[in-house]
């Protein structure tokens, strides 16, 4: 037994608090029996048969060990559950994680290792094998506990000192050595990184040490040597997936784009549920105009969406942004149409993966994307109708939409001049104190477009002034009408401007057939936010009544006549 193990405190099994997660009740009971035989009190063992139960248990208990099966029967697997519990801070940093599975496939093992549990154990399980794993985990947790306590207090220098002390007292420990190197790199202390790595390559070489050695070469400006070292590492250890990530990044920087894509594909092939690898493949494929590789990556993403929280829609938005890069790079409308069909197929795959409560958000996001494509192809009216129909279910619940969806809607709303919805979304962002990274980047890009921002500000001011003129004693004059005509010249589909123009024409007794038909076309056959929808209903009814009284022979879209009712008002949604 290694020296460091002899010097560690004896484990008091009776005091360990453990959560077992397995959707198979028989397997969970069997595991509980094995834990009892090791010496753990049954009163200290909780069993959860779903991820929802596991969350509830972790909300009310502090566990030293989490033992979870990889394949859970519902939406989440054991890896995703562990990630969710960590994100919600329902597990302490010193809680040991053991993932179990009867599936010995390369994908399951490598994907599990990517979330950095303390260990992985293949089924069937023996008492001796389980006890050995738990001993290793408990000892590792005891050693890392003071290090992570320092990190939780944002004291990286203290964490580094403790890690060094642990290695000095207990000897080599590859996890703590790896953690120490990561902390030193985070502190940009490359001199210490190099000294420690040089020592460890001789005394305790691991895949992690070889990877850091390549990173040192890159940091020193020798990218070719870094690539060569990583190529040697993956040839020696083809399942060490982290090496492919850095190899792909360095090859891309070295303008070896096809090699970079190949390396990224290899990493993704080993761990298809790791989304940052999907996005790396997609981005490299888009840069190379490789639609086949990008679509394959999209299908992998759709089949493995991280549905544990709202991050799934962020990942989908990031992929869609890359997809749009490829889409707009095509010079053929035929190829663009083919790509859209492929994207729709990806959406259908994703729908099957998502929970029922999440599916409407993906449907909305897909419609927003298609609306953007219509705008780009100079079909603004179709784009507006698609956008309004898809948004209609959320007009009164804008605050409940994820930030990433709201930010994706804004550019289209800016283009169309939909001031009311822009204002509503702006109010939501003012109140949110947490926004995902993708949405922050999109907001930053939007704010940089000062011409567009200033134009929208001017639009809102103009609409407010025009409405004030319109409401003064309910008498409009030609100045008010000109206000609305000027707005429409800048924003030809602005709903509020067309409603205002129709009311101005009505109050002035002006029957300009072309303008009336233009305004009706801009706002009919689509839902509008409640205040605008009510305004539309009222003005349409007034126009119909006045035309009937004055017997004006004006050809108006038949849609207008749907509003001709003395007692009821119906709103048509396409």
């Amino acid at each position: 037994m290694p020296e460091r193990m002899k010097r560690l405190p004896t484990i008091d099994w009776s005091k360990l608090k453990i959560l077992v997660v397995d959707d198979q009740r028989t397997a969970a009971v069997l595991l509980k029996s094995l834990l009892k035989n090791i010496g753990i009190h049954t009163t200290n063992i909780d069993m959860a048969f779903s991820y929802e139960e596991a969350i509830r248990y972790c909300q009310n208990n502090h566990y030293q060990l989490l033992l979870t099966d990889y394949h859970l029967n519902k939406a989440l697997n054991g890896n995703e559950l562990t990630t969710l519990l960590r994100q919600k801070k329902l597990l302490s940093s010193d809680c040991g994680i053991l993932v179990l599975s009867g599936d010995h496939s390369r994908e399951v093992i490598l994907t599990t290792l990517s979330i950095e549990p303390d260990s992985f154990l293949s089924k069937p399980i023996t008492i001796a094998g389980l006890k050995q794993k738990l001993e290793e985990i408990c000892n590792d947790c005891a050693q890392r506990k003071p290090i992570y306590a320092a990190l939780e207090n944002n004291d990286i220098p203290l964490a580094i000192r403790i890690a060094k002390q642990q290695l000095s007292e207990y000897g080599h420990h590859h996890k703590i050595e790896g953690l120490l190197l990561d902390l030193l790199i985070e502190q940009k202390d490359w001199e210490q990184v190099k000294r420690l790595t040089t020592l460890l390559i001789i005394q305790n070489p691991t895949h992690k040490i070889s990877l850091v050695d390549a990173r040192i070469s890159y940091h020193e400006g020798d990218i070719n040597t870094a690539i060569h070292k990583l190529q040697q590492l993956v040839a020696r250890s083809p399942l060490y997936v982290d090496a492919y990530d850095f190899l792909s990044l360095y090859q891309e920087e070295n303008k070896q784009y096809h090699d970079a894509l190949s390396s990224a594909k290899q990493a993704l092939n080993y761990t298809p549920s790791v989304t940052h690898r999907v996005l790396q493949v997609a981005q490299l494929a888009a840069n190379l105009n490789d639609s086949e590789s990008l679509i394959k990556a999209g299908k992998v993403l759709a089949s493995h969406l991280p549905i544990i929280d709202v991050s799934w829609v962020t990942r989908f938005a990031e992929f869609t942004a890359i997809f749009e890069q490829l889409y707009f790079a095509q010079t053929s409308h035929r190829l663009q149409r083919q790509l859209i069909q492929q994207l729709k197929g990806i959406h259908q795959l994703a729908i099957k993966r998502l929970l029922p409560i999440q599916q409407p958000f993906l449907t909305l996001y897909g419609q927003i994307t298609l609306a953007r494509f219509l705008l780009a192809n100079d079909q603004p009216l179709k784009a507006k109708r698609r956008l309004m129909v898809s948004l209609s279910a959320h007009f009164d619940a804008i605050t409940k939409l994820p930030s990433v969806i709201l930010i994706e809607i804004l550019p289209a709303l800016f283009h169309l001049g939909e001031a009311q919805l822009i204002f509503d979304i702006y109010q939501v962002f003012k109140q949110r104190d947490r926004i995902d990274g993708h949405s922050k980047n999109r907001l930053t890009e939007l704010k940089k477009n000062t011409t567009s921002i200033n134009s929208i500000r001017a639009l809102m001011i103009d609409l407010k002034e025009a409405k004030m003129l319109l409401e003064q004693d309910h008498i409009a004059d030609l100045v008010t009408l000109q206000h609305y005509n000027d707005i429409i010249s800048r924003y030809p589909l602005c709903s509020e401007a067309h409603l205002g123009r129709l009311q101005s024409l009505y109050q002035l007794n002006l029957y300009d057939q072309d303008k009336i038909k233009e305004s009706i076309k801009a706002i009919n056959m689509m839902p509008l936010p409640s205040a605008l929808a009510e305004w539309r209903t009222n003005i349409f009814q007034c126009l119909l009544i006045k035309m009937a009284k004055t017997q004006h022979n004006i050809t108006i879209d038949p849609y207008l006549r749907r509003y001709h009712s003395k007692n009821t008002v119906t709103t048509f949604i396409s």
Side-chain angles (χ1 to χ4, degrees):
M1 186 178 291
E3 182 67 18
R4 71 176 186 87
M5 295 292 288
K6 293 179 182 177
R7 296 172 57 186
L8 287 167
T10 303
I11 299 169
D12 187 348
W13 297 105
S14 66
K15 292 184 178 179
L16 290 179
K17 181 75 172 173
I18 298 179
L19 176 62
V20 173
V21 185
D22 199 317
D23 62 320
Q24 300 297 320
R25 188 176 294 268
T26 303
V29 171
L30 176 60
L31 184 54
K32 183 175 182 177
S33 176
L34 294 176
L35 293 170
K36 179 184 176 182
N37 290 332
I38 290 174
I40 299 167
H41 289 174
T42 55
T43 54
N44 286 342
I45 305 171
D46 291 328
M47 293 189 296
F49 305 109
S50 68
Y51 75 89
E52 296 98 335
E53 276 190 290
I55 292 170
R56 286 196 293 270
Y57 271 119
C58 290
Q59 287 172 333
N60 298 307
N61 297 276
H62 176 86
Y63 294 103
Q64 280 79 48
L65 289 168
L66 169 68
L67 280 62
T68 178
D69 187 54
Y70 178 86
H71 289 293
L72 300 178
N73 198 26
K74 288 195 177 181
L76 304 188
N77 61 38
N79 290 351
E80 293 165 329
L81 172 62
T82 301
T83 301
L84 177 62
L85 293 173
R86 283 171 171 170
Q87 286 179 351
K88 292 183 174 292
K89 301 189 183 303
L90 296 177
L91 294 178
S92 63
S93 58
D94 58 311
C95 178
I97 310 293
L98 175 61
V99 178
L100 309 107
S101 181
D103 185 344
H104 306 162
S105 67
R106 181 179 63 191
E107 176 186 331
V108 167
I109 295 172
L110 293 179
T111 302
T112 299
L113 294 178
S114 71
I115 68 160
E116 298 185 350
D118 292 284
S119 197
F120 177 89
L121 185 59
S122 297
K123 296 179 180 179
I125 302 168
T126 64
I127 293 179
L130 180 61
K131 185 174 183 180
Q132 181 183 349
K133 286 290 185 183
L134 295 184
E135 283 178 344
E136 292 173 358
I137 291 172
C138 289
N139 287 325
D140 285 347
C141 290
Q143 282 189 259
R144 77 178 183 217
K145 184 174 182 178
I147 301 173
Y148 279 92
L151 290 176
E152 286 174 357
N153 291 323
N154 296 314
D155 194 340
I156 295 178
L158 176 59
I160 290 172
R161 289 197 299 273
I162 295 172
K164 289 179 178 178
Q165 182 182 348
Q166 295 279 14
L167 292 172
S168 176
E169 290 181 5
Y170 299 112
H172 288 298
H173 187 292
H174 71 275
K175 288 185 179 179
I176 293 182
E177 288 164 354
L179 175 58
L180 175 57
L181 286 167
D182 286 339
L183 292 173
L184 290 171
I185 290 173
E186 186 176 341
Q187 292 291 89
K188 296 181 171 53
D189 192 345
W190 285 96
E191 185 178 341
Q192 279 204 69
V193 172
K194 187 172 184 178
R195 285 204 305 269
L196 180 59
T197 302
T198 302
L199 178 66
L200 292 174
I201 284 177
I202 299 170
Q203 296 183 355
N204 189 36
T206 63
H207 301 331
K208 173 76 172 185
I209 304 305
S210 298
L211 174 59
V212 173
D213 184 43
R215 294 183 66 184
I216 291 169
S217 296
Y218 173 78
H219 174 72
E220 292 177 342
D222 193 348
I223 192 170
N224 289 314
T225 297
I227 290 172
H228 179 66
K229 287 180 177 179
L230 289 172
Q231 288 171 331
Q232 288 183 318
L233 176 56
V234 297
R236 253 186 352 260
S237 309
L239 300 184
Y240 185 48
V241 187
D242 288 353
Y244 291 99
D245 292 334
F246 283 95
L247 179 57
S248 178
L249 290 172
Y250 294 168
Q251 288 170 328
E252 181 183 10
E253 186 173 328
N254 210 34
K255 299 183 180 179
Q256 299 169 237
Y257 300 118
H258 290 280
D259 291 338
L261 178 57
S262 177
S263 298
K265 282 182 177 180
Q266 191 64 58
L268 179 58
N269 181 48
Y270 288 145
T271 56
S273 61
V274 180
T275 54
H276 76 80
R277 291 179 177 135
V278 176
L279 297 173
Q280 173 70 354
V281 169
Q283 186 62 70
L284 288 166
N287 293 345
L288 291 169
N289 201 26
D290 182 348
S291 59
E292 182 180 354
S293 294
L294 185 140
I295 295 303
K296 283 183 179 179
K299 291 178 179 178
V300 170
L301 175 65
S303 302
H304 298 83
L305 275 176
I307 60 174
I308 54 177
D309 56 26
V310 76
S311 68
W312 72 265
V313 73
T314 304
R315 301 291 85 80
F316 215 93
E318 290 170 336
F319 171 78
T320 304
I322 297 169
F323 176 90
E324 288 181 9
Q325 174 188 331
L326 181 71
Y327 174 86
F328 289 118
Q330 306 308 308
T331 56
S332 163
H333 290 303
R334 179 181 61 83
L335 290 176
Q336 287 185 330
R337 287 194 298 272
Q338 289 176 354
L339 283 173
I340 287 177
Q341 289 306 311
Q342 295 280 13
L343 183 62
K344 288 179 178 178
I346 291 170
H347 277 237
Q348 289 304 311
L349 276 176
I351 283 286
K352 296 176 183 177
R353 165 74 174 154
L354 294 174
L355 301 173
I357 196 173
Q358 296 170 321
Q359 290 172 354
F361 292 130
L362 179 61
T363 300
L364 171 58
Y365 189 84
Q367 295 300 317
I368 294 167
T369 302
L370 293 176
R372 287 207 300 266
F373 291 151
L374 287 169
L375 284 173
N377 291 321
D378 199 26
Q379 300 181 71
L381 184 58
K382 283 187 178 181
K384 180 179 177 180
R385 284 176 179 159
R386 184 177 289 275
L387 199 61
M388 290 302 191
V389 169
S390 60
L391 269 174
S392 60
H394 308 278
F395 281 154
D396 297 324
I398 291 289
T399 57
K400 296 181 181 179
L401 288 177
S403 298
V404 67
I405 288 183
L406 294 177
I407 192 61
E408 296 296 339
I409 295 170
L410 276 177
L413 295 178
F414 273 34
H415 184 93
L416 297 168
E418 289 304 301
Q420 180 61 60
L421 287 170
I422 294 170
F423 178 79
D424 291 344
I425 293 173
Y426 173 72
Q427 293 302 311
V428 173
F429 277 119
K430 277 182 65 177
Q431 295 169 8
R432 288 193 178 169
D433 55 357
R434 293 175 61 186
I435 301 176
D436 64 276
H438 177 77
S439 297
K440 283 182 180 178
N441 291 337
R442 287 291 218 195
L443 274 172
T444 300
E445 290 173 9
L446 201 59
K447 289 176 180 176
K448 286 181 180 177
N449 189 348
T450 53
T451 301
S452 180
I453 294 291
N454 291 336
S455 181
I456 288 297
R457 286 175 179 161
L459 168 66
M460 290 184 171
I461 292 170
D462 290 345
L463 285 171
K464 186 177 180 180
E465 290 179 353
K467 191 71 181 293
M468 288 174 63
L469 289 170
L470 192 64
E471 292 175 346
Q472 286 178 3
D473 300 323
H474 300 284
I475 298 173
D477 58 21
L478 291 173
V479 174
T480 309
L481 178 61
Q482 188 58 45
H483 262 68
Y484 284 118
N485 284 335
D486 288 344
I487 294 171
I488 290 168
S489 69
R490 304 196 317 267
Y491 291 96
L493 293 176
C494 173
S495 298
E496 292 167 74
H498 283 289
L499 287 165
R501 181 164 78 176
L502 284 173
Q503 186 168 334
S504 298
L505 290 168
Y506 167 75
Q507 293 178 185
L508 288 165
N509 289 313
L510 294 177
Y511 289 90
D512 186 323
Q513 179 169 324
D514 290 338
K515 284 187 168 53
I516 291 176
K517 290 180 68 175
E518 180 188 20
S519 289
I520 290 174
K521 185 178 179 181
I523 57 177
N524 74 355
M525 300 296 287
M526 68 185 73
L528 294 175
S530 55
L532 300 185
E534 183 179 357
W535 189 5
R536 176 177 61 185
T537 298
N538 293 335
I539 192 60
F540 279 13
Q541 287 182 324
C542 290
L543 283 170
L544 280 168
I545 293 169
K546 181 164 284 191
M547 285 189 292
K549 286 181 179 179
T550 56
Q551 297 183 340
H552 276 81
N553 185 22
I554 299 176
T555 304
I556 301 296
D557 191 299
Y559 168 75
L560 181 56
R561 302 191 179 278
R562 288 180 176 269
Y563 288 85
H564 184 34
S565 173
K566 293 182 180 179
N567 300 314
T568 61
V569 175
T570 59
T571 302
F572 180 82
I573 299 178
S574 174

